[in-house]
Structure formats: structure tokens, C-alpha cells
Amino acid sequence: RETRKLLENYAETKATKRFIKKFDDIAWKLPDNNMEIKLSHISNMTEIASGATCIVYVGKWKGTAVAVKEFNSPTGEIDFVAEAGIHSRLHHSYVVQLLGICLVPLCTITEFVPRGSLYH
């Protein structure tokens, strides 16, 4: 798989090698097509929220407003693969669309919907 090949390119540290082992165990959850978007291709990134497990940014990718969710918790690798895998299979007008993933750092990239959260 393309995503597996990309990960092997970053297999320099023990932590990355452990992540690849975890990735192999749950990689079937990721979409088959290559959805990688390099973070350098996203412009005007501004932090809009942060929490215990991730930071969310808004930016522009190919002229479209996107939300970038960066996973930074100790379980971030597993959370990332699980979320990207599930989100890639959800297609509904009431669910934001997953546009891609970034592997370094681990991020999901979705369409950005303005006007705050569901709680406000």
C-alpha cells in the first residue's frame, strides 16, 4: 500500500518503528486510495482550538478552507488511524468530508465549516 511505503521512509527512530508495527495491525481501517496531503501545501494555517489529544487549525488548500486536526497525544497514532479509517467511509451531507491525511505530523484534513461548534 502507498501509505505503508510512505511510513517506511520515516522509519528512522524506535518510536517510528513501533508506530509502523501498530500501523500494520490496524492499517486495514485506512482508505485504499492515497489521500496524503503534505502540510506544506496548506497555507495560512491558524490555530482555532486545542485539547488534550489534538490541535485544530484552519487553513487553505487548493483555494478551499480546510480544518487540520493534528494528533499529539501518546495514543495519537492509534487515534489517527482509527479516525481516518472511519471518517474516510462516512459520506453524508451532515458530516464534514475527509479530504486527506498528513503523515508527518499525523493530521486529518477535512472541509472547514465556519460558525463555531454544535454547542454554540
Side-chain angles (χ1 to χ4, degrees):
R1 293 176 79 151
E2 291 295 318
T3 308
R4 176 70 164 87
K5 289 178 188 175
L6 290 168
L7 287 173
E8 287 174 350
N9 293 335
Y10 300 107
E12 298 173 5
T13 67
K14 287 184 180 182
T16 306
K17 289 178 184 177
R18 282 194 307 271
F19 168 60
I20 289 174
K21 167 96 174 76
K22 291 178 190 175
F23 179 84
D24 284 342
D25 293 340
I26 53 181
W28 60 271
K29 295 180 182 178
L30 281 175
D32 289 332
N33 60 338
N34 187 358
M35 296 181 69
E36 186 182 20
I37 297 172
K38 295 191 182 302
L39 211 52
S40 60
H41 294 168
I42 300 173
S43 62
N44 303 329
M45 282 187 40
T46 306
E47 183 178 325
I48 57 172
S50 64
T53 61
C54 54
I55 302 170
V56 180
Y57 303 90
V58 64
K60 288 269 187 195
W61 177 66
K62 295 185 176 181
T64 302
V66 295
V68 179
K69 183 176 181 181
E70 179 182 350
F71 294 81
N72 59 5
S73 71
T75 60
E77 299 95 357
I78 294 171
D79 296 341
F80 163 77
V81 173
E83 183 170 321
I86 292 168
H87 203 160
S88 68
R89 289 166 177 78
L90 293 175
H91 302 285
H92 193 278
S93 59
Y94 292 155
V95 177
V96 294
Q97 183 174 343
L98 178 69
L99 301 174
I101 59 173
C102 179
L103 297 175
V104 179
L106 291 176
C107 301
T108 57
I109 300 157
T110 63
E111 63 180 322
F112 177 71
V113 179
R115 303 189 188 204
S117 72
L118 295 174
Y119 301 108
H120 298 115

